[in-house]
Amino acid sequence: MDTAPSAPHDSTGGSTTPPSARGRRRVATAAALASAVEWYDYFVFGIAAALVLGDAFFPSGSRAAGVLASFATFAVGFLARPVGGVIAGHLGDRHGRKPMLVLALTVMGLATTAIGLLPPYDTIGLAAPVLLVVLRLVQGIAVGAQWGGAMLMATEYAPEGRRGLYGSLVQLGVPIGVMTANTVFLLAGAVTGERAFGAWGWRIPFLVGVLVLLLARYIHTHVEETPAFRAAERELAAAEQAAGARRSPLGTILRHHLGTVLLAGGSFAVNTATFYILITGVLDYATRSLHMHRTSVLAVSLLVSLTQLALIPAAAALSDRVGRLRVYTAGAVGLLLWAVPMFLLIDTASLLWLAVGTFVGSCFLSIMYGPQAALFAELFTPEMRYTGASLGYQISAVLGGGLAPFVMVLLLEASGTSMAVSGYIMVLSVLALVSIRLLTRRAPKAVTGRPATGPAGGA
């Protein structure tokens, strides 16, 4: 935001003047870029897991066993995400959103670059898969820490009545990250050729991830802390001084709001599961089982992600008018109804029908994903918002996203039909609808109906 030296500052070091329109745009852009580069670093692992990591780090006589091993490593990152969410949430609610976001970006950049430099199994033996798992754990901690910081930087700077739209700018980091990761993989494959790509070309997308460090530096030097955090910090400090004790945001969440956190996670698990099925599970299924060309499937994934750039902010803007949970519910119902037709189309092994099936599924994902940042932020008050929103989001990642490609391969191998994967999506859709129904009873009016017109940073 604008940082004119003459602006008055409060005791936390932030300006007490309301943020300007230019300042809001700067912060929203920085948060969106932070989300995009962080997710890029995270997604290149998923694509590599589907294409090359099994052969490079988990040699086996069975191709399916190698893919399962690489997808298991992929899932490990999701198991670590709640750890990152807890650590960054606790510190972010105590010391600010910006420091945690900068730290998360730095850790992610270093871990992703290290994966790009990691020798394969043939060179260092068992140490290769062990180090790969460790670095994936670090990636998971970093992305678990990042989402809450980027989301709150955007939503807590949002003008009145536009929190959903501002939050969706951070959500756009996911399709931008997917598109960038797919594009870099396509370019790496085109430049190196099939054999060289399997040997070393796949490392290029990981090494590009080091650029995230430049963005971390920019946010550290050019972006201020959010007004909502500064206000909450002053109020909390006064209350704690009167009580003579320092409260723990994590302790407050676990004692009084755990139900809301679990319901938030349950409501979003179907979105994360279906998303990772589409970008990694289907990539493996289409190339290994349906014998479709890798480049063509990656191109379809890239084009489908383009549509999300329009749908995500549109769904978020609609939620600013009619309420978060109404829009959210529509997306969950759509995923429930589309789960079977989607895989019937994919099973044709036609590039056109693959594109149609994944495009419609992506539309329903966007309808849920657009309002999700503002929804999770509005479930909690500012002094516990980083912790609560991050925990809810990362729990959904464990329940859905992390295990989804692994579960998909298991279901396909055990049943021999993709309808088992459709059934998996439908079960998670029902869980989402039940969670949404229960959230409606405990959520503030801002997320159940027309949003309240309170301060931009309030709950």
Side-chain angles (χ1 to χ4, degrees):
M1 64 177 288
D2 296 325
T3 56
S6 59
H9 285 67
D10 61 22
S11 59
T12 67
S15 173
T16 58
T17 58
S20 66
R22 180 186 175 191
R24 295 182 196 274
R25 288 194 297 269
R26 178 184 295 179
V27 172
T29 301
L33 287 173
S35 176
V37 297
E38 185 94 351
W39 285 116
Y40 165 84
D41 281 8
Y42 199 66
F43 290 146
V44 292
F45 194 103
I47 297 173
L51 298 177
V52 296
L53 293 186
D55 294 334
F57 292 93
F58 304 97
S60 169
S62 166
R63 175 77 195 280
V67 172
L68 276 172
S70 62
F71 276 162
T73 306
F74 178 68
V76 162
F78 288 83
L79 297 177
R81 280 171 60 170
V83 177
V86 167
I87 294 172
H90 181 74
L91 296 176
D93 281 330
R94 295 279 293 267
H95 304 294
R97 296 23 173 148
K98 188 181 82 169
M100 293 303 102
L101 179 58
V102 171
L103 179 61
L105 290 169
T106 303
V107 171
M108 176 63 87
L110 294 175
T112 304
T113 304
I115 292 174
L117 298 173
L118 187 63
Y121 184 92
D122 290 344
T123 302
I124 61 173
L126 189 60
V130 171
L131 289 173
L132 184 67
V133 170
V134 170
L135 291 171
R136 183 58 178 172
L137 281 169
V138 175
Q139 277 194 321
I141 292 172
V143 82
Q146 171 272 146
W147 181 81
M151 178 270 291
L152 293 180
M153 290 295 290
T155 58
E156 291 186 344
Y157 263 102
E160 184 175 315
R162 302 185 68 186
R163 199 180 307 154
L165 180 60
Y166 269 61
S168 72
L169 298 178
V170 173
Q171 307 295 71
L172 288 178
V174 170
I176 292 173
V178 171
M179 288 189 299
T180 307
N182 281 327
T183 300
V184 175
F185 264 99
L186 285 169
L187 292 175
V191 170
T192 60
E194 193 75 25
R195 179 172 297 181
F197 177 81
W200 58 267
W202 64 268
R203 298 179 181 275
I204 296 173
F206 287 91
L207 298 177
V208 171
V210 74
L211 297 177
V212 71
L213 300 177
L214 300 178
L215 181 60
R217 176 64 180 172
Y218 174 84
I219 292 175
H220 176 69
T221 56
H222 290 83
V223 176
E224 286 191 12
E225 190 53 78
T226 71
F229 173 77
R230 294 199 303 266
E233 185 179 46
R234 289 193 298 269
E235 294 173 4
L236 190 60
E240 288 170 345
Q241 186 175 10
R246 180 74 167 166
R247 299 177 185 176
S248 165
L250 178 60
T252 302
I253 287 290
L254 294 179
R255 284 194 300 271
H256 304 296
H257 303 281
L258 182 58
T260 300
V261 169
L262 294 176
L263 290 175
S267 74
F268 200 62
V270 65
N271 190 287
T272 54
T274 306
F275 175 77
Y276 285 102
I277 284 173
L278 291 182
I279 70 163
T280 58
V282 168
L283 177 58
D284 167 64
Y285 178 58
T287 54
R288 182 167 58 88
S289 300
L290 302 180
H291 308 293
M292 300 178 72
H293 196 272
R294 181 192 74 226
T295 301
S296 300
V297 178
L298 281 172
V300 167
S301 179
L302 177 62
L303 292 173
V304 167
S305 295
L306 276 172
T307 64
Q308 293 183 306
L309 296 181
L311 290 172
I312 287 176
L318 180 62
S319 78
D320 281 331
R321 297 171 61 89
V322 304
R324 317 290 180 216
L325 288 178
R326 291 179 183 176
V327 177
Y328 205 62
T329 300
V333 170
L335 290 175
L336 174 65
L337 299 177
W338 188 245
V340 170
M342 179 170 67
F343 271 95
L344 290 176
L345 292 174
I346 292 172
D347 282 344
T348 65
S350 162
L351 200 61
L352 173 62
W353 292 120
L354 171 72
V356 171
T358 55
F359 167 73
V360 176
S362 178
C363 288
F364 293 126
L365 291 178
S366 300
I367 290 172
M368 287 190 74
Y369 201 58
Q372 185 249 349
L375 168 63
F376 278 30
E378 289 169 347
L379 290 173
F380 306 97
T381 52
E383 70 274 6
M384 67 182 77
R385 182 172 288 159
Y386 202 140
T387 302
S390 292
L391 267 180
Y393 185 79
Q394 304 312 335
I395 285 173
S396 74
V398 173
L399 292 176
L403 295 175
F406 183 82
V407 170
M408 178 176 174
V409 174
L410 285 180
L411 290 173
L412 289 170
E413 292 293 316
S415 68
T417 173
S418 63
M419 290 300 98
V421 184
S422 297
Y424 173 54
I425 295 174
M426 293 173 73
V427 168
L428 290 177
S429 297
V430 172
L431 172 64
L433 292 171
V434 171
S435 298
I436 291 169
R437 178 64 178 172
L438 295 175
L439 272 178
T440 303
R441 299 177 180 176
R442 64 171 65 201
K445 293 181 180 179
V447 299
T448 57
R450 185 178 297 276
T453 56

